[in-house]
Structures are given as C-alpha cells and as structure tokens.
Amino acid sequence: MAAERDAEGQAAARPLLTDFYQATMALGYWRAGRAQDPAEFELFFRRCPFGGAFALAAGLRDCLRFLRTFRLLDSDVRFLASMLPPDTEPAFLAHLRALDCSAVTVRALPEGSLAFPGVPLLQVSGPLLLVQLLETPLLCLVSYASLVATNAARLRLIAGPNKRLLELGLRRAQGPDGGLTASTYCYLGGFDSSSNVLAGQLRGVPVAGTLAHSFITSFSGSEVPPDPMLAPASGKGPRVDLVASVKLWLERVCAHLGLGLQDPHRGERAAFVAYALAFPQAFQGLLDTYSVWRSGLPNFLAVALALGEMGYRAVGVRLDSGDLLQQAQEIRRAFQTTAAQFQAPWLEAVPIAVSNNIDEEELARLAQEGSEVNIIGIGTSVVTCPQQPSLGCVYKLVSVGGQPRMKLTEDPEKQTLPGSKAAFRLLGSDGSLLLDLLQLAEESPPQAGQELRVWPRGAQEPCTVRPAQVEPLLRLWLQQGKVTAAPPFCFS
C-alpha cells in the first residue's frame, strides 16, 4: 500500500500542497459547526489564454488520482497543529486525520475538451470543510495543465497536421513537477512525443530523442571501436567492418559533393560510426557540430550509405543552428542528388528534424508550404508559456446547504454566477459551435431544434438561438469518492 501511494504521489499533489488559509478556514468551519454542510464549488477561468479564443481542459486525471488517495498523515496533522492556535480542540485534529474523499462528487469536462470562460472545468461537491481544503491543490493540478495543453494545441495548429512535434522542454521547465506536467499535457495538446523519459515511464507518453553535440565533440577520430563489425539487417551473410566501409563511402561522397577528404571532421565521423554501431536500425545524425556542408552532411551520408549497403535505413538528421528552413531545403536537394548518384532512393525521404529555441513565428515559417522540415523540436516556447505564464483559474463557492451563494464585489468581472449548474454545448446543423450554455441544474435541458433566448457572456442584450445539436458538457467522474469512469485521456 505504501508503494502504491508513493507511485500515485509522483503524479498528483499531497494534501499539504495548499495555502495556509485553507487550514485556518477549516478550523473556522469546525468551530462554527459547519464542517459537514453540503457545498459545491466551481473551478473555471475568466479569459482565454494567449489572446486566443479557446482553452483545453486538462488535469482531470491527476485530480482524480489526488482525490482517490487523499488522506492527511499523522505528520501532516502534527505540522498543522503546530501552526494553529494552541487551544485548538483535539477533536478537530481527529477530524482532519479521518478525512478522505468518500463524500466528494466531481463533475468535469473531459480531458482535452474545448473550454471557454466561465464554464466550469470542475464542479466539486461534498462537505464544506473538505471541499474548501481541496481548493488550492485542485487549482494547482488544473491551471498549468490546461495552460500548457492549450499552448501545445496552438503550436499544433500553427504547424499543421503533417509536421511531427517533439517536446524538448524538460531542461527549461519550472522544476521537475512542471517538467512532468508539461510533457504529459503537451502530448494531450497535440505533440507527437517528448524527450522526457519519466513522462514515458509514469504516463505512457511516447519518448523520442537524437544525440547531443557533446557526444560528437567527445570523439577526436583516433578512437578504435572494440568491435567495428556489423551483421547485415537481414541477419544473413558475413559481418562487415563498418569503419572500413564508411571510409570507402566517404571518398565517393566527397567526390560527389566536390569536397576534399580532409574536410569532414574525423571526430564527428567516429561519433557517427559509434552511434551507428549502437543503433544500426535507428541511425541519425546531428549535422551542425562543426560545419553542416563541409563535415556533418558528408559524414552522415558516408555512414548512412554504408549502412544502406547492409539493408539498414537511416532514420533522420537534425539541425540546431542557422537558417533552419533554408538548410533543410538544401539538405533535401543533397539527399536527392546523392540518392540518384548512388541508386539509393530511400535516401531522398530521410526525415529532417530541427530545433533551436523555436517560437510561434519561427514555427509558422518552418511549417509553410514547400518546407522540407519533417520534425520540429520545441522546448522553452511550449513548456514555459512565455506569452502568458498563468491561466488564472479560480475556485468559487456556488451553493451551501442547497442554497445559492454569489460573490458580488466591486469588480463586475469577478462576480460569480450562483447555484449548482449544468452546461451544454449548442451546435449548428454543420456541427459548428454556436455557444456553451450555462443554466441551473434543476432547469430542463435544452433540446435540439428548440428556440432559446440566451444572454451571451458580456452582452448587454439577450439573443435567440436554435441549436441543431445539444451536447451535455459536464460528466460525472467521481461519485461519493468512487471513480465512475476513466478519463478519455489515459496513460499506462
């Protein structure tokens, strides 16, 4: 059981990952005799991020894991007791020790759903003291997950459907938890894979990677592989000395490209050979350690063609500096002429990957029509969300004891809509989104073809809509502490 809780804890929050005022309010509720009052909170955001028109709901899976295992340990309660007034009743501390989420119910948008301002991402109901304590950890689990998933989705829309997007942001993320969350929810937002191995282990995110410049610069060219012999891909036939084969191919490649044999860097070539011996089925080259044209490209071609003779196919090259778009076009032409010269048609389609602090503007350039870039690695610009660092989610009380509660405040934008609510997505006959409708839970749900008089968010006057389709948005995921359905976005 301890091991299971530890595994769960790697992907969810601990109960004391919270603000201290949650504990002081809990004591206040207790002393007022209101700890068990039935209450409902809604978690939502007020504005779409990045100046856009939508967000993606994310973090539900982590919320359910957190709620399913929520218990305050004795050490947690002792720490809280040390911070609360010395006359705090032992019965209150005993109440904290006994807390779990067996009386909590959660309705929410499914993972990855389109979400809009004011529509609850989560509805959380249960005993007042407990659901108040859940506020900060649930906000923490939902806010960044939704923000980074939305950012990833925006980048996917810019890239289009045919470019592969690789998330490389772990080294730039805001700590290990931020890195794991980013890798998880970039995948939800439309990225194809991540460099984050832990995200692969814990979350089942596809993991991908190439090699770094340090691997290449670590070789001088004087190294001798312990075993340079490589068997053909078919497993049939004699083993081949890859070092000798690459040397012969380099002469032919340099003659084709108009280079001298002394131009390609010996250490880089030794690094490529070492990598090919380790990964003959997945050989790839990083081309810009010394010079793309005078070294990286000819060394890659020599190794790739040597492997090709044995039935292996190189899986790609990567560029990490310079004008990525132009270089990719020139490299593709070099692949095409070399393929024709040496009757190696597979070489024409070797994927070209690029990286180097790619932002939205550069991504749009790399994704334009005619681009020869196949794979785009993005790190800082996706995990740090530089255009907007926070989604600004809030968690507001909407009912207690079945009675609506409303925050008025001097700022109209911060006013809340009272009462337990249902949410519906209204669609046109072509499937286009008309609007998301909020109404009181006890009201009759809207019907397709029914004329509805609605007040759009921020409008001064109502308007009339007649939806062709109506979809309920908030689904039941946790009922009285029991998970009722697995989120659609699940990992291993």
Side-chain angles (χ1 to χ4, degrees), residues 79-138:
F79 180 75
L80 288 175
S82 72
M83 301 183 67
L84 294 171
D87 61 348
T88 299
E89 298 96 322
F92 170 70
L93 302 178
H95 181 78
L96 294 181
R97 287 188 177 90
L99 283 178
D100 60 28
C101 289
S102 58
V104 172
T105 294
V106 173
R107 289 177 173 81
L109 293 177
E111 294 271 34
S113 297
L114 280 176
F116 300 99
V119 177
L121 304 179
L122 299 180
Q123 289 177 327
V124 185
S125 58
L128 178 58
L129 183 153
L130 175 58
V131 291
Q132 180 72 71
L133 282 176
L134 298 177
E135 174 181 8
T136 302
L138 291 181

Side-chain angles (χ1 to χ4, degrees), residues 45-105:
F45 60 92
R46 295 189 174 104
R47 296 183 183 180
C48 289
F50 313 114
F54 73 95
L56 292 188
L60 174 61
R61 178 181 181 276
D62 287 336
C63 289
L64 295 179
R65 295 183 73 167
F66 167 67
L67 295 171
R68 196 172 70 228
T69 60
F70 179 93
R71 288 301 294 262
L72 287 160
L73 304 176
D74 284 343
S75 57
D76 298 332
V77 176
R78 288 196 301 270
F79 180 75
L80 288 175
S82 72
M83 301 183 67
L84 294 171
D87 61 348
T88 299
E89 298 96 322
F92 170 70
L93 302 178
H95 181 78
L96 294 181
R97 287 188 177 90
L99 283 178
D100 60 28
C101 289
S102 58
V104 172
T105 294

Side-chain angles (χ1 to χ4, degrees), residues 160-225:
N162 298 322
K163 305 296 184 187
R164 289 173 56 197
L165 294 181
L166 169 61
E167 179 267 311
L168 304 172
L170 181 58
R171 64 187 61 194
R172 303 285 187 256
Q174 291 92 338
D177 291 336
L180 180 60
T181 300
S183 299
T184 301
Y185 292 103
C186 283
Y187 181 51
L188 172 66
F191 274 54
D192 297 285
S193 53
S194 171
S195 65
N196 187 341
V197 177
L198 187 63
Q201 181 192 32
L202 296 181
R203 304 300 188 84
V205 175
V207 175
T210 58
L211 64 160
H213 293 104
S214 56
F215 181 83
I216 295 170
T217 58
S218 73
F219 288 82
S220 67
S222 61
E223 297 82 7
V224 177

Side-chain angles (χ1 to χ4, degrees), residues 381-450:
S381 293
V382 64
V383 305
T384 66
C385 302
Q387 292 190 32
Q388 181 174 326
S390 173
L391 181 55
C393 288
V394 294
Y395 183 88
K396 297 299 180 184
L397 180 68
V398 296
S399 73
V400 177
Q403 298 300 309
R405 292 292 185 270
M406 180 179 186
K407 177 182 176 181
L408 289 173
T409 189
E410 283 73 23
D411 184 350
E413 187 182 33
K414 290 193 171 185
Q415 292 179 3
T416 59
L417 296 175
S420 181
K421 291 178 280 295
F424 300 90
R425 181 152 292 166
L426 309 185
L427 304 170
S429 57
D430 60 354
S432 60
L433 173 63
L434 300 177
L435 55 84
D436 284 356
L437 176 71
L438 286 176
Q439 63 176 51
L440 292 174
E442 61 264 25
E443 294 182 284
S444 299
Q447 302 296 318
Q450 175 188 4

Side-chain angles (χ1 to χ4, degrees), residues 108-447:
L109 293 177
E111 294 271 34
S113 297
L114 280 176
F116 300 99
V119 177
L121 304 179
L122 299 180
Q123 289 177 327
V124 185
S125 58
L128 178 58
L129 183 153
L130 175 58
V131 291
Q132 180 72 71
L133 282 176
L134 298 177
E135 174 181 8
T136 302
L138 291 181
L139 283 169
C140 183
L141 290 169
V142 169
S143 294
Y144 178 62
S146 298
L147 183 73
V148 77
T150 305
N151 197 29
R154 285 169 52 82
L155 295 171
R156 166 51 71 192
L157 290 172
I158 294 170
N162 298 322
K163 305 296 184 187
R164 289 173 56 197
L165 294 181
L166 169 61
E167 179 267 311
L168 304 172
L170 181 58
R171 64 187 61 194
R172 303 285 187 256
Q174 291 92 338
D177 291 336
L180 180 60
T181 300
S183 299
T184 301
Y185 292 103
C186 283
Y187 181 51
L188 172 66
F191 274 54
D192 297 285
S193 53
S194 171
S195 65
N196 187 341
V197 177
L198 187 63
Q201 181 192 32
L202 296 181
R203 304 300 188 84
V205 175
V207 175
T210 58
L211 64 160
H213 293 104
S214 56
F215 181 83
I216 295 170
T217 58
S218 73
F219 288 82
S220 67
S222 61
E223 297 82 7
V224 177
D227 182 5
M229 308 301 289
L230 186 64
S234 65
K236 300 177 181 178
R239 301 173 75 213
V240 175
D241 185 332
L242 185 62
V243 174
S245 180
V246 168
K247 184 178 180 180
L248 293 174
W249 270 108
L250 184 67
E251 294 177 5
R252 302 173 70 184
V253 167
C254 286
H256 169 63
L257 297 177
L259 297 171
L261 276 175
Q262 74 281 0
D263 289 330
H265 196 283
R266 294 174 61 237
E268 180 180 60
R269 187 162 59 258
F272 285 176
V273 168
Y275 198 85
L277 288 169
F279 300 98
Q281 300 280 7
F283 171 64
Q284 49 197 310
L286 176 57
L287 302 188
D288 65 333
T289 303
Y290 299 110
S291 167
V292 172
W293 309 111
R294 296 174 63 83
S295 184
L297 180 62
N299 277 330
F300 169 79
L301 289 173
V303 177
L305 289 165
L307 289 172
E309 275 192 318
M310 291 182 278
Y312 298 102
R313 298 293 180 259
V315 299
V317 296
R318 180 163 71 95
L319 298 167
D320 192 50
S321 60
D323 188 327
L324 302 174
L325 180 66
Q326 180 180 346
Q327 288 184 95
Q329 292 171 332
E330 294 172 354
I331 287 169
R332 182 67 67 204
R333 284 195 292 270
F335 284 172
Q336 291 166 346
T337 62
T338 306
Q341 175 71 21
F342 300 115
Q343 292 78 53
W346 54 268
L347 183 59
E348 294 185 16
V350 168
I352 299 174
V354 298
S355 55
N356 188 24
N357 203 28
I358 294 169
D359 57 16
E360 289 188 9
E361 182 178 352
E362 178 67 3
L363 177 61
R365 183 169 173 267
L366 294 171
Q368 65 185 268
E369 186 176 355
S371 168
E372 294 293 347
V373 172
N374 306 107
I375 304 166
I376 303 170
I378 307 178
T380 305
S381 293
V382 64
V383 305
T384 66
C385 302
Q387 292 190 32
Q388 181 174 326
S390 173
L391 181 55
C393 288
V394 294
Y395 183 88
K396 297 299 180 184
L397 180 68
V398 296
S399 73
V400 177
Q403 298 300 309
R405 292 292 185 270
M406 180 179 186
K407 177 182 176 181
L408 289 173
T409 189
E410 283 73 23
D411 184 350
E413 187 182 33
K414 290 193 171 185
Q415 292 179 3
T416 59
L417 296 175
S420 181
K421 291 178 280 295
F424 300 90
R425 181 152 292 166
L426 309 185
L427 304 170
S429 57
D430 60 354
S432 60
L433 173 63
L434 300 177
L435 55 84
D436 284 356
L437 176 71
L438 286 176
Q439 63 176 51
L440 292 174
E442 61 264 25
E443 294 182 284
S444 299
Q447 302 296 318

